[in-house]
Amino acid sequence: MSQTADQPNAEQAAADVPPHRYTPALAQQIELAWQDRWEAEGTFHTPNPTGRLSAGFERVADRPKYFLMDMFPYPSGAGLHVGHPLGYLGTDVTSRFRRMDGDNVLHPMGYDAFGLPAEQYAVQTGQHPRITTEANIRAIRAQLRRLGVDHDDRRSFATIDPGYYKWTQWIFLQLFGSWFDETAGKARPIDDLVAELDAGTREPAAGTNPSGLPWAELDEVSRRKVVDAHRLAYLHEAPVNWCPGLGTVLSNEEVTADGRSERGNFPVFRRPLKQWMMRITAYADRLIDDLDRLDWSDSLKLMQRNWIGRSSGAKVRFGCADQTIEVFTTRPDTLFGATYMVLAPEHPLVEALTAAAWPDGTDPRWTGGAATPAEAVREYQRQASRRSELDRQDTGREKTGVWLGVTAVNPVNGRELPVFIADYVLTGYGTGAIMAVPGEDTRDWEFAREFGLEVVPTVERPDGFDEESGAWTGPGRMINSSNDEISLDGLDKAAAIAAITEWLVGKGAGEATTTYKLRDWLFSRQRYWGEPFPIVYDEDDLPIAVPQSMLPVLLPEVDDYSPKTFADDDADSSPEPPLSRATEWTTVELDLGDGPKKYRRETNTMPNWAGSCWYYLRYLDPADDERMVDPALEEYWLGPREPGDVGGVDLYVGGVEHAVLHLLYARFWHKVLHDLGHVSSEEPFRRLVNQGYISAFAYTDERGFYVPAADVVEKDGQFFYEGKPVNREYGKIGKSLKNMVTPDEMIGAYGADTFRVYEMSTGPLDQSRPWETKAVVGSQRLLQRIWRVVVDEVSGSVRASDDVEPAEETLRALHRTIAGVRDGFATLRFNIAIARITELTNHLTQAYGATSPVPREVAEGLVLMVAPLAPHLADELWTRLGHEGSSAWTPFPVADERWLVDDTVQVAVQVNGKVRSQVSVPADADAAALEAAARADEKIAGYLDGATVRRVVAVPGRLVNFVLG
């Protein structure tokens, strides 16, 4: 059945339609006129306290500030569907309400414009992605304008604007130019590190100085490499998802469970490549701990905590020949049950540990059928490289692996443990190596059974437990866990962990530690359509920052926008980004302080996350070419309200699909900027709300392919597309399910205000809801009734009159509506506000009919309450009521408390504890009055007739209970 809008022309087609009825045609005429007027008059231009956009600040200087925004859209060619405006309209209603209620409101909108779709289109057509993207931005901007949103258009920008990505590059240089001081717990300028190294007051951090030589003995190149290894933005050779068929590295989220690219279904290989990384792991603790200071939902906070994955445990060292294998475990208490070890196939010690030949008597299951350990390892590493991390972690997969031909020594009992590689162990978590305890770990038990390895239980089992059924993962006292120096037997888990950790520390075999699932952020993409890195390489092939005076580094023009692709199975190929072919650009002569020299530019580009990490700051003044953000503006709009407050945007609205990556990356960048003194706020988004989804029917044919929902017809309860039956299902509205409905269709049929009211009426902002085009007419009829309260449909004259005094019942209805609407707007339950407005409109319609004068006080209150929801209609009625200009800055009505108190209340009357009737009494009736009213009730009188009343319980305002003998 079609989801598209049909013109509701039955009313208009009738011959007796009054000439001044609020029809879709009149609605659109009003809306277009007011949109032009708002733009011409700068109605929604928000003044800053200082600087270029400060004109008019004096009129709002005494107002509290309120900064709210949406997650900005990617400008796709399909434009907006009706699901997109749900959040945009929610923030718009909130913005308008807060402005009317006395706030200085900043409500901007920009465009997250770098991205793969425009580049793919450029590859297919040869058209520059900027042309495509800017055309899409114009289309979406027109759609948003037609919706009547109150964005300050002076603050709009796109991430592809050179004036914007100049500062994205500048922020990258701040990260490149800083390091994380663990003692201070914050980022500091890299020059501070160099000064401390030179002064001898600090030693290079572990792992940053491979030579082991003292700093003073290192040559200049070696010193630079040590410093580079400390930076928050650094180059690192790390295992990545390399897709030869696409010619690019993919994120984990872009790889399917069977190790293929989500786009194109090409094989993906895990292989080491030198990439730019962001040291987000340095901020793991602050990213977790500061969640408690944010006004976010518990579920979203949990998603971030799980993604960061902080675990407390111990690092344990196992000797293996002349090497040491370090393991992180959250259960050091089970060390006595370790019977083998497993390294990730990519672990850096694999090559060094692999034996030259199989020892005599090697179990054939351990060899993978190879003649030597080296052959077995190479083949297994090749197989593992073709599996995604998601696939490798699948608990249902058969356990595979090969032995390295060596053993390691368990430090608690001296037992020789065979060392395997297996793909169920990943390099990114812990140390990339595990001690396998098959008695208490399901995956280890499955591996042990597959390879014939011993199982030693270390946790007491319940009676009747079948050891053949699998590992015991439940609680229990420790068993089989002692040596000559320590015994864990009989201890509970917590006590055993504490005891064995202390013992390991004393022996130099381990220490207590914390580890994280979070990994450093892979920041390189082999793409054209992204921000160029402000980095060049010198004759030593070391990175050098481009000075701020040379920013932005602009994208060059190229003939081919696609990265070089390779044969699907060419796992040994290397990326060749599109920028690498722009040879006149890649080689550049610059004077970086020591005379003109030739340098090589970085040819990767930044990921599309980069521009969205900080865009909220640029809204404060997008035309400022001297600095990323004026500190005075940042402090005004985002600064802490009081000591201990994190600051940030007052309300941020967007989809839950961005709960982890975008929000985590933005928080990381913001904390670095805070540490370096560029912003006063500690967090970017004080309050976050995830809006719900809009779902609609979708249809699939016999092949399971989606067909256009708009072209499906219903006949006798069945659904058909081009004459063939199709299956109906329900899903999130969008292009992929071919069930899109655009705002343009709905506005063309009903007008923008009707569309706005319908979307806001379908539920609280944070809840998902169904879309039903036929139901939109209900919102249209509500707006027509509101129009009729103010305007006579026949004559067009205004019905509001100063000569008519509202009855008490009407005043009570008005002020209860004001209170309810205020609560609905403040809590983002716009459906509640609309329900209260509907009740008041119905009351006024019944009380004053279609022609009688309506009290001005009530009519104007109704118009102002509907203004945030249907602003075009409200402004039109406001001017017809005799006011000049928009209602946008008019104070929102405030309820008079005296009209919120009931004159009478309904009180339950019980007999022997059971409710038998209800009586209406004055709200201030005392116990005696309650009893008298109850006795006078006909039903109660019948119960009391002839009975003995032993006791009467009367609670004013609540109940009366007669206890009969």
Side-chain angles (χ1 to χ4, degrees):
M1 183 177 295
S2 172
Q3 294 288 329
T4 58
D6 296 320
Q7 184 75 15
N9 54 16
E11 250 184 331
Q12 293 95 298
D16 58 349
V17 171
H20 296 280
R21 171 161 292 179
Y22 182 74
T23 64
L26 178 59
Q28 295 192 46
Q29 178 184 335
I30 290 171
E31 289 163 3
L32 292 171
W34 276 104
Q35 287 161 14
D36 289 342
R37 183 170 176 180
W38 292 336
E39 181 177 341
E41 296 179 357
T43 301
F44 307 118
H45 288 179
T46 299
N48 281 335
T50 186
R52 186 181 63 90
L53 301 177
S54 61
F57 183 72
E58 64 280 356
R59 68 171 178 163
V60 298
D62 60 344
R63 289 175 170 236
K65 66 87 184 178
Y66 193 80
F67 182 5
L68 77 166
M69 53 181 275
D70 298 275
M71 293 182 184
F72 62 175
Y74 174 77
S76 72
L80 302 179
H81 59 65
V82 295
H84 292 116
L86 182 61
Y88 305 155
L89 293 179
T91 54
D92 187 66
V93 172
T94 303
S95 170
R96 291 173 177 276
F97 168 66
R98 300 291 301 229
R99 184 183 296 108
M100 295 175 72
D101 206 33
D103 289 346
N104 184 27
V105 178
L106 176 57
H107 184 209
M109 176 64 83
Y111 300 90
D112 189 12
F114 279 121
L116 193 54
E119 182 167 321
Q120 289 177 304
Y121 188 74
V123 170
Q124 296 165 5
T125 65
Q127 177 171 282
H128 197 290
R130 177 175 292 280
I131 296 173
T132 307
T133 304
E134 289 179 345
N136 294 344
I137 289 174
R138 287 191 295 272
I140 293 178
R141 185 174 278 139
Q143 286 183 298
L144 290 172
R145 184 183 191 274
R146 191 63 189 86
L147 287 169
V149 291
D150 67 349
H151 298 146
D152 184 343
D153 54 10
R154 304 169 303 165
R155 300 174 185 264
S156 185
F157 56 80
T159 55
I160 62 173
D161 298 341
Y164 179 83
Y165 71 72
K166 166 185 178 177
W167 297 104
T168 305
Q169 293 172 341
W170 180 85
I171 295 173
F172 175 86
L173 292 181
Q174 305 311 300
L175 289 146
F176 180 73
S178 60
W179 61 293
F180 191 81
D181 183 344
E182 291 188 3
T183 303
K186 59 180 287 186
R188 294 175 57 196
I190 204 75
D191 290 344
D192 291 359
L193 172 66
V194 175
E196 292 180 14
L197 292 171
D198 286 343
T201 57
R202 182 180 294 273
E203 294 296 322
T208 63
N209 185 13
S211 71
L213 293 173
W215 173 260
E217 297 179 18
L218 296 175
D219 59 29
E220 180 61 26
V221 170
S222 297
R223 288 188 175 194
R224 286 177 59 190
K225 289 181 178 178
V226 169
V227 171
D228 287 349
H230 286 79
R231 298 180 187 271
L232 289 180
Y234 65 99
L235 284 167
H236 179 62
E237 190 170 86
V240 297
N241 299 311
W242 167 237
C243 181
L246 290 176
T248 191
V249 171
L250 302 176
S251 67
N252 289 334
E253 293 73 28
E254 295 170 317
V255 182
T256 63
D258 57 351
R260 305 183 76 85
S261 63
E262 189 176 53
R263 182 175 63 86
N265 199 37
F266 293 105
V268 175
F269 302 90
R270 294 285 291 176
R271 57 158 297 179
L273 286 174
K274 185 175 284 189
Q275 304 279 292
W276 279 101
M277 308 289 289
M278 290 281 179
R279 206 179 302 276
I280 190 173
T281 51
Y283 283 79
D285 284 324
R286 283 170 61 181
L287 289 169
I288 284 184
D289 295 341
D290 285 348
L291 286 169
D292 292 333
R293 305 167 68 192
L294 298 174
D295 184 7
W296 294 12
S297 68
D298 290 340
S299 60
L300 194 146
K301 290 180 181 179
L302 180 62
M303 292 173 72
Q304 291 221 346
R305 289 192 179 99
N306 290 342
W307 188 268
I308 297 169
R310 183 165 62 189
S311 300
S312 297
K315 279 187 178 177
V316 185
R317 288 180 282 277
F318 294 74
C320 182
D322 59 348
Q323 302 286 337
T324 298
I325 302 174
E326 193 170 63
V327 166
F328 170 78
T329 175
T330 59
R331 295 294 306 272
D333 55 314
T334 63
L335 258 167
F336 287 93
T339 58
Y340 64 97
M341 299 189 72
V342 182
L343 307 186
E346 306 87 356
H347 195 287
L349 285 179
V350 169
E351 183 177 356
L353 293 178
T354 303
W358 298 119
D360 292 340
T362 296
D363 191 323
R365 290 174 292 184
W366 298 10
T367 68
T372 67
E375 290 178 22
V377 167
R378 281 197 300 272
E379 176 58 24
Y380 191 82
Q381 287 176 326
R382 188 191 68 80
Q383 294 174 12
S385 74
R386 303 191 65 165
R387 296 193 176 102
S388 71
E389 291 195 358
L390 188 64
D391 182 35
R392 287 168 60 171
Q393 294 176 82
D394 184 355
T395 55
R397 280 189 65 246
E398 178 185 358
K399 296 298 180 289
T400 62
V402 294
W403 184 36
L404 298 183
V406 296
T407 59
V409 178
N410 189 332
V412 299
N413 56 15
R415 178 172 182 155
E416 297 281 338
L417 309 179
V419 182
F420 292 80
I421 59 171
D423 62 7
Y424 77 90
V425 177
L426 304 176
T427 56
Y429 180 65
T431 65
I434 66 165
M435 61 173 209
V437 184
E440 282 79 44
D441 184 276
T442 299
R443 295 185 307 166
D444 295 347
W445 187 90
E446 292 170 349
F447 190 95
R449 278 291 184 260
E450 191 71 31
F451 288 86
L453 294 157
E454 186 180 2
V455 178
V456 176
T458 58
V459 177
E460 189 175 32
R461 273 67 167 146
D463 292 340
F465 178 75
D466 181 5
E467 293 290 350
E468 296 301 314
S469 65
W472 170 248
T473 58
R477 298 279 174 177
M478 303 306 297
I479 59 174
N480 302 324
S481 299
S482 64
N483 60 29
D484 292 341
E485 298 181 3
I486 185 172
S487 175
L488 307 181
D489 293 342
L491 298 180
D492 62 21
K493 174 182 170 182
I497 289 175
I500 195 63
T501 301
E502 182 180 0
W503 185 88
L504 289 167
V505 171
K507 292 294 182 179
E511 60 271 335
T513 189
T514 301
T515 192
Y516 308 85
K517 289 182 181 178
L518 180 69
R519 307 170 195 183
D520 280 346
W521 176 11
L522 176 63
F523 202 69
S524 294
R525 294 293 184 271
Q526 293 71 46
R527 291 291 174 191
Y528 171 77
W529 195 227
E531 298 92 342
F533 282 91
I535 291 290
V536 293
Y537 297 88
D538 62 9
E539 65 275 8
D540 297 311
D541 201 33
L542 294 177
I544 300 175
V546 172
Q548 181 178 339
S549 61
M550 296 184 183
L551 301 182
V553 176
L554 298 173
L555 279 170
E557 298 295 324
V558 297
D559 296 325
D560 185 358
Y561 301 104
S562 59
K564 182 178 179 179
T565 58
F566 303 87
D568 294 1
D569 58 353
D570 188 359
D572 297 325
S573 55
S574 296
E576 294 185 21
L579 293 182
S580 65
R581 296 193 290 270
T583 54
E584 293 183 0
W585 180 84
T586 56
T587 302
V588 59
E589 185 174 283
L590 300 172
D591 186 350
L592 300 181
D594 52 357
K597 289 184 179 180
K598 285 194 174 181
Y599 298 91
R600 173 178 59 86
R601 291 192 188 275
E602 172 63 67
T603 57
N604 286 311
T605 54
M606 300 185 196
N608 61 313
W609 301 107
S612 63
C613 277
W614 72 281
Y615 70 110
Y616 53 94
L617 291 168
R618 199 59 179 168
Y619 282 140
L620 308 188
D621 186 357
D624 189 341
D625 196 46
E626 299 300 317
R627 53 206 158 182
M628 172 193 68
V629 63
D630 183 335
L633 298 184
E634 187 275 334
E635 186 173 3
Y636 175 79
W637 287 113
L638 293 124
R641 297 171 177 169
E642 57 195 21
D645 179 38
V646 295
V649 174
D650 296 292
L651 177 62
Y652 192 35
V653 173
V656 72
E657 66 270 19
H658 298 298
V660 176
L661 298 182
H662 158 61
L663 292 171
L664 208 57
Y665 296 156
R667 294 181 64 215
F668 164 51
W669 274 29
H670 196 92
K671 289 181 179 298
V672 175
L673 292 172
H674 173 76
D675 288 352
L676 298 177
H678 299 301
V679 295
S680 64
S681 45
E682 296 181 57
E683 288 278 347
F685 313 115
R686 170 185 279 110
R687 184 185 183 197
L688 174 70
V689 172
N690 294 129
Q691 86 266 17
Y693 293 123
I694 291 184
S695 299
F697 288 119
Y699 303 86
T700 56
D701 61 18
E702 70 278 2
R703 302 166 300 170
F705 292 174
Y706 288 99
V707 301
D711 298 330
V712 173
V713 296
E714 181 180 3
K715 189 182 300 180
D716 298 328
Q718 292 185 303
F719 303 94
F720 298 87
Y721 172 69
E722 295 182 345
K724 296 181 179 179
V726 290
N727 298 311
R728 185 172 75 165
E729 61 183 57
Y730 211 60
K732 180 183 173 184
I733 205 164
K735 185 167 61 174
S736 61
L737 301 189
K738 296 187 177 181
N739 61 348
M740 280 183 61
V741 181
T742 70
D744 311 61
E745 298 172 51
M746 304 310 303
I747 292 170
Y750 297 96
D753 279 341
T754 292
F755 174 73
R756 290 171 60 104
V757 170
Y758 173 70
E759 284 228 342
M760 295 297 94
S761 70
T762 51
L765 184 62
D766 60 350
Q767 292 185 9
S768 296
R769 71 284 311 276
W771 176 267
E772 180 51 64
T773 298
K774 291 181 178 180
V776 180
V777 71
S779 298
Q780 181 197 26
R781 289 169 179 161
L782 170 61
L783 295 187
Q784 287 178 328
R785 293 198 300 276
I786 293 172
W787 176 271
R788 283 196 292 269
V789 168
V790 180
V791 177
D792 188 298
E793 286 188 327
V794 177
S795 66
S797 60
V798 174
R799 296 177 58 196
S801 172
D802 293 316
D803 299 328
V804 179
E805 289 294 327
E808 288 191 3
E809 184 181 1
T810 297
L811 285 172
R812 185 167 288 108
L814 171 65
H815 288 277
R816 287 185 175 182
T817 300
I818 292 171
V821 170
R822 277 184 162 273
D823 178 64
F825 286 161
T827 59
L828 308 183
R829 296 179 300 160
F830 309 116
N831 56 315
I832 299 297
I834 292 169
R836 301 291 85 80
I837 288 171
T838 301
E839 292 169 359
L840 177 62
T841 303
N842 292 343
H843 169 84
L844 296 177
T845 300
Q846 294 171 1
Y848 300 99
T851 58
S852 298
V854 178
R856 175 174 291 275
E857 173 187 354
V858 181
E860 291 192 346
L862 175 62
V863 169
L864 292 175
M865 282 188 284
V866 83
L869 295 159
H872 313 88
L873 170 73
D875 276 5
E876 180 67 19
L877 293 177
W878 191 244
T879 56
R880 293 193 181 210
L881 285 166
H883 301 279
E884 291 187 8
S886 170
S887 63
W889 291 84
T890 304
F892 199 85
V894 177
D896 187 333
E897 293 291 332
R898 61 181 170 146
W899 296 113
L900 304 182
V901 179
D902 286 319
D903 287 342
T904 60
V905 293
Q906 292 290 317
V907 174
V909 182
Q910 299 176 344
V911 176
N912 288 338
K914 293 185 178 180
V915 176
R916 298 301 186 183
S917 186
Q918 287 190 335
V919 294
S920 180
V921 297
D924 58 355
D926 59 14
L930 285 183
E931 180 180 349
R935 288 182 178 275
D937 181 80
E938 185 176 344
K939 290 183 180 179
I940 299 302
Y943 283 102
L944 302 184
D945 186 22
T948 301
V949 179
R950 299 180 56 191
R951 187 159 57 99
V952 179
V953 178
V955 181
R958 294 183 58 191
L959 62 83
V960 179
N961 182 28
F962 292 97
V963 181
L964 305 184

